[in-house]
Amino acid sequence: MKSTHLCGILAILLLLASGCAQTVLNRSVYRLSDNELNSPDAKAKILKVHMNDGTLYVLNEWSFSGEAEIVMGHGDYYNFNRRLLSSNKKEKDSPAYEIPYSEVSLIETNKLERDGRNLLGISIAGVSSAIYSIYCITDPKACFGSCPTFYAMKEGNWHMISEGFSSSISSSFEKSDVDMLYGIDQPTDGFSLKLTNEALETHVIRYVDLLAFPQELGEQVFATEEGVFYRTSALQAPQTCLAEEGDLRAQVQAFDGNERFSLTDENNLAGKEEIMLTFANPGAVESGLLIGSRQSLLTTFLFYQLMAYSGNHYGHFVARVENGDPHLLKRIEKMWGKLGGIEVFLQTADKKWQKVDEIEEMGPIAADIHLVKLPPTEQESITLKLRLTKGLWRIDYLALAEIMGEETPLRIEPRLVTANDTICREALQLLNDKQKPLVPFPGDQYTLHYTVPDDCSYQFFLETKGYYLEWMRDEWIKEEDLKKAALALYFPGLFMRKAAPAFKRAEPQMEKLFWESRYVK
Amino acid sequence: MVSLVVVLSISCQTYTIPAAYDTPYSEIRENPYGCWSEFELRNSASKVSGELICMEHDTVYVLVLDHHVQAIEAAQIAGYKIYTHKSQSGRYGKFSLLYLIPSVVGALVQSDYAGGFLSLGVPVAVVGLTHIIIEGSNKKNVITENNTIRLYEIAKYARYPGGKPMGVDLNQLVWKEES
């Protein structure tokens, strides 16, 4: 379970615990004869002075004059039948009541115990909910969104593990996507996967296949960006790992959700940063850099903003792309290209930087690990540089692996699909027919069951293929501005600078809001 | 949301005491009257109910009607209830509903995201409901005694906590009027 979820549940429980008390009226009375006249609770704002003749002063501003033996204050004065005789509480400049001790029967203070704590509990939950709601009303694009999402069993619970083809925003961008199912429970009686559509999107899914590799002690299989699998061993943490803010080793030493991220450049959403890292050279073996990462919500924000700017013309633009308009397709790719991926550079013996590869997998939901094969080097240590757009990537894991050789997976198709405990034969047929897609709508949820050979333990990957169509929202259309849409497509560099202030306003809360407000019907 | 409204409406149902004596939060610290009280008597099936006026020696004085104070000897008392203040359940419910307004408005204005907006209100509803239920469950705003009668402890809830004032004709007293 993600630590953010745990914190959320813990916070709610603390709030509930704080309210486990009924209010109690704490009434204190002090008798003149007990010589306690000077000891009423000094914090009490209102003092009731009961007189020997049955009259009563209710003072909302009071003090004692010990030497003169009088109580002074402003407030109301009632007769024995509690009819108001006089009042000076609204006239602070008027003379105060002066009440001789000798005429006082006793004084009284009242306090409602536990009321403040109860209200605090409600207010903590209420204020944050109200702030988030108001913020989301003004900019819902910053709060809600998703991609095809997959869950698997991890430590006995369903755990979000992967997102499919996040960059495939229409059929022209359809592609397959391979995600490592890291840390999931070893199946004992078949393998199950939950497939959900948690956003206002139409998902078009060609297939969802499980890729299995026999597990060997001390070895792990990783995939490159191109979907080629390699068996690796001797994983090695970086000796140094430095970014602008300092040493990152604690954040990147394990794929555990403790992510390193930065904020976007305040003047340019495409502003870059660098991370420098070194590893001990394992010698005359082929090695590769492992990068565990996911994107921030910057691409989601820009995608939704572009949709909003195209407004009623969005369908027209999509149709042009689908009809093979190479010009528009190139423009969209150029815009995403401004943000770029995680570029990996190797320092050569002559201290020059050689670009090795670029990780471009999109999607803000689930992190994935990619292998970047490095060219052989004879230097004592391997020095690498990662160049990435500030605020775009959340890096969870960096390591060096010794590559043992290429691997071919055992491909397993689903054998059963259920929804709400009912068998869905049609869904199964569609997922196993590579031509006809399964089309989940918002709120749809399927459980896919696979038969895994029981001859050994396996390491799993998920291969999905398809695309999705984001739904236009009424409130986005109100933002229609074709000039800004054109600016984004034709001058993406300028657009990234112009859009920076709007994104910076939303950026601090965006990740938190996204996870707290995922849309599930 | 619906359950919050239901619980809130239930919590607003108060006891069968005059509304004027169901002291709201705003009056708790400055209410000049005594608390509403109910006394069960040992030799009678009926109860004596009214504003607690004072304690004098072994006698409790209760204003049962305007201009009519009933004196009850301590030995006659089998049990009593003192209503110190109004349950705060309704107030907590109102606070929770206020905090829920942005979520509800969001769900109405941005209907495409209704589910998301309403889910933002769930923690408030859960916390609010918990407070309402707990505040209403144990009735600590009513001091109840059936076995051990400690009359000296309830004197401070009387209109005249120091005892019967000199020169006051108790039969001139009237009830608190509903504001």
Side-chain angles (χ1 to χ4, degrees):
Chain A
M1 185 177 282
K2 273 191 175 288
S3 59
T4 48
H5 293 175
L6 276 174
C7 288
I9 292 166
L10 190 64
I12 289 174
L13 287 176
L14 281 172
L15 290 172
L16 292 176
S18 74
C20 291
Q22 297 89 25
T23 54
V24 175
L25 179 65
N26 180 1
R27 176 169 290 183
S28 303
V29 289
Y30 303 88
R31 285 191 176 278
L32 187 62
S33 57
D34 296 337
N35 198 25
E36 287 180 319
L37 198 53
N38 291 317
S39 61
D41 183 356
K43 290 179 185 171
K45 287 184 180 169
I46 294 175
L47 191 73
K48 289 164 73 175
V49 183
H50 292 270
M51 308 300 289
N52 290 328
D53 61 359
T55 58
L56 172 73
Y57 289 91
V58 179
L59 303 178
N60 52 12
E61 193 178 82
W62 51 271
S63 63
F64 290 101
S65 174
E67 286 182 7
E69 293 198 331
I70 52 171
V71 186
M72 293 181 295
H74 288 83
D76 296 325
Y77 180 44
Y78 297 93
N79 74 1
F80 71 95
N81 222 350
R82 301 305 181 242
R83 299 290 177 255
L84 189 64
L85 294 176
S86 64
S87 175
N88 63 4
K89 70 178 176 187
K90 290 178 182 169
E91 300 147 17
K92 301 297 178 194
D93 296 333
S94 63
Y97 292 123
E98 294 186 355
I99 310 161
Y101 284 8
S102 58
E103 295 174 20
V104 175
S105 166
L106 53 78
I107 55 178
E108 173 192 322
T109 59
N110 290 280
K111 188 180 178 190
L112 192 60
E113 300 282 357
R114 300 165 188 161
D115 181 61
R117 197 172 58 176
N118 291 344
L119 283 179
L120 181 67
I122 297 172
S123 296
I124 288 172
V127 169
S128 37
S129 165
I131 289 172
Y132 289 160
S133 298
I134 291 166
Y135 175 74
C136 292
I137 289 169
T138 58
D139 191 1
K141 297 193 298 302
C143 296
F144 309 104
S146 183
C147 287
T149 311
F150 297 93
Y151 293 78
M153 293 300 276
K154 198 171 178 181
E155 295 168 357
N157 294 308
W158 287 109
H159 196 282
M160 187 186 293
I161 199 83
S162 162
E163 57 181 311
F165 42 82
S166 299
S167 60
S168 306
I169 53 172
S170 75
S171 66
S172 304
F173 293 93
E174 177 176 329
K175 68 170 191 178
S176 62
D177 183 20
V178 173
D179 290 315
M180 186 179 185
L181 303 184
Y182 188 87
I184 59 169
D185 297 344
Q186 271 298 321
T188 51
D189 183 23
F191 182 88
S192 296
L193 200 66
K194 210 179 268 183
L195 181 168
T196 63
N197 182 345
E198 302 179 5
L200 291 173
E201 300 165 351
T202 302
H203 296 168
V204 181
I205 303 173
R206 300 272 176 213
Y207 61 82
V208 181
D209 289 349
L210 207 56
L211 306 179
F213 298 88
Q215 208 160 38
E216 303 291 342
L217 192 64
E219 298 175 1
Q220 269 191 296
V221 175
F222 292 100
T224 63
E225 178 94 340
E226 296 74 33
V228 182
F229 297 92
Y230 291 92
R231 186 169 289 279
T232 68
S233 65
L235 303 188
Q236 182 194 139
Q239 290 177 323
T240 63
C241 183
L242 293 168
E244 195 177 51
E245 70 270 28
D247 190 352
L248 307 181
R249 282 178 297 175
Q251 287 154 293
V252 302
Q253 66 182 356
F255 193 52
D256 56 2
N258 178 18
E259 299 168 320
R260 182 270 170 185
F261 61 92
S262 59
L263 297 178
T264 51
D265 187 302
E266 60 184 15
N267 299 314
N268 182 3
L269 294 179
K272 303 289 182 187
E273 64 175 344
E274 291 179 345
I275 297 173
M276 308 293 292
L277 56 163
T278 57
F279 295 93
N281 191 340
V285 291
E286 209 175 2
S287 60
L289 175 68
L290 297 172
I291 303 178
S293 63
R294 66 183 173 103
Q295 284 191 319
S296 70
L297 291 162
L298 176 58
T299 46
T300 307
F301 175 87
L302 289 173
F303 175 40
Y304 288 177
Q305 199 61 64
L306 188 59
M307 281 181 71
Y309 287 153
S310 56
N312 285 309
H313 300 266
Y314 180 67
H316 170 72
F317 287 129
V318 172
R320 276 178 59 187
V321 171
E322 294 309 301
N323 284 318
D325 184 337
H327 182 66
L328 189 57
L329 205 59
K330 196 175 161 189
R331 289 284 157 205
I332 293 170
E333 284 170 351
K334 194 176 172 188
M335 183 185 166
W336 296 135
K338 272 285 166 195
L339 293 175
I342 303 175
E343 295 175 275
V344 181
F345 296 86
L346 172 73
Q347 192 174 54
T348 58
D350 57 358
K351 303 293 177 193
K352 289 185 177 169
W353 292 106
Q354 175 192 351
K355 184 170 174 178
V356 178
D357 203 350
E358 186 168 352
I359 302 296
E360 291 180 314
E361 179 162 325
M362 294 176 80
I365 296 176
D368 194 17
I369 300 179
H370 288 97
L371 175 69
V372 176
K373 282 184 76 182
L374 298 174
T377 174
E378 291 178 357
Q379 297 174 83
E380 193 176 323
S381 61
I382 296 174
T383 305
L384 298 166
K385 177 171 80 176
L386 307 182
R387 187 166 177 268
L388 55 160
T389 296
K390 285 180 80 175
L392 177 59
W393 296 95
R394 301 174 78 94
I395 295 177
D396 197 350
Y397 183 54
L398 291 170
L400 193 79
E402 293 182 17
I403 296 174
M404 300 169 69
E406 195 172 328
E407 287 273 317
T408 306
L410 170 66
R411 181 177 291 272
I412 307 170
E413 293 181 340
R415 68 167 167 80
L416 179 70
V417 177
T418 56
N420 298 322
D421 296 327
T422 306
I423 294 173
C424 299
R425 288 194 176 81
E426 192 188 351
L428 177 68
Q429 208 172 0
L430 292 170
L431 284 175
N432 289 339
D433 181 339
K434 304 291 187 266
Q435 299 307 314
K436 294 179 185 169
L438 174 69
V439 184
F441 285 94
D444 286 355
Q445 181 174 307
Y446 297 94
T447 307
L448 316 183
H449 305 268
Y450 300 82
T451 302
V452 178
D454 57 2
D455 52 347
C456 65
S457 295
Y458 284 91
Q459 186 191 338
F460 296 102
F461 286 77
L462 191 67
E463 185 174 317
T464 55
K465 187 175 184 188
Y467 62 94
Y468 67 98
L469 299 169
E470 193 73 42
W471 291 10
M472 177 60 84
R473 278 71 145 179
D474 287 342
E475 66 273 15
W476 293 6
I477 290 175
K478 291 173 196 161
E479 287 186 58
E480 181 180 302
D481 188 331
L482 293 179
K483 282 182 186 168
K484 286 183 178 169
L487 182 71
L489 291 172
Y490 287 89
F491 302 98
L494 181 59
F495 177 74
M496 294 297 174
R497 288 192 284 277
K498 294 258 185 197
F503 182 78
K504 290 301 286 183
R505 279 196 297 274
E507 188 178 27
Q509 310 93 335
M510 200 172 270
E511 185 85 9
K512 190 167 186 284
L513 286 170
F514 178 81
W515 288 107
E516 289 184 351
S517 55
R518 283 169 61 74
Y519 171 75
V520 186
K521 267 188 179 172
Chain B
M1 178 70 70
V2 173
S3 54
L4 184 63
V5 173
V6 170
V7 171
L8 182 58
S9 63
I10 291 169
S11 70
C12 289
Q13 295 171 355
T14 187
Y15 314 99
T16 53
I17 68 172
Y21 285 94
D22 200 13
T23 312
Y25 176 79
S26 58
E27 293 179 16
I28 282 173
R29 291 181 300 177
E30 53 196 89
N31 174 29
Y33 293 85
C35 293
W36 189 260
S37 56
E38 287 176 5
F39 290 90
E40 287 178 31
L41 305 182
R42 292 191 189 282
N43 299 320
S44 170
S46 62
K47 289 180 183 174
V48 176
S49 303
E51 182 190 335
L52 188 61
I53 294 299
C54 64
M55 298 271 305
E56 189 73 9
H57 305 300
D58 284 339
T59 303
V60 178
Y61 293 88
V62 180
L63 183 63
V64 293
L65 284 172
D66 282 350
H67 310 298
H68 183 71
V69 169
Q70 185 167 338
I72 312 168
E73 288 182 17
Q76 287 182 284
I77 297 171
Y80 60 80
K81 284 182 178 176
I82 307 291
Y83 295 82
T84 59
H85 65 286
K86 190 174 182 173
S87 164
Q88 300 301 300
S89 292
R91 190 163 143 259
Y92 295 159
K94 285 175 196 164
F95 266 95
S96 303
L97 284 177
L98 273 176
Y99 284 128
L100 281 171
I101 287 174
S103 301
V104 175
V105 170
L108 294 173
V109 174
Q110 310 281 8
S111 54
D112 286 345
Y113 303 104
F117 276 105
L118 292 178
S119 70
L120 280 177
V122 168
V124 188
V126 170
V127 174
L129 275 171
T130 308
H131 282 79
I132 291 166
I133 291 167
I134 290 173
E135 171 69 7
S137 63
N138 208 16
K139 311 262 185 294
K140 287 202 172 177
N141 56 328
V142 183
I143 298 168
T144 305
E145 280 293 351
N146 290 315
N147 300 315
T148 312
I149 308 300
R150 292 187 290 259
L151 290 181
Y152 60 90
E153 286 189 4
I154 63 168
K156 62 184 176 184
Y157 298 105
R159 183 186 294 194
Y160 308 122
K164 187 179 168 187
M166 289 182 296
V168 171
D169 178 1
L170 295 184
N171 286 320
Q172 289 183 12
L173 299 181
V174 292
W175 273 5
K176 180 183 181 185
E177 290 174 5
E178 195 172 352
S179 53

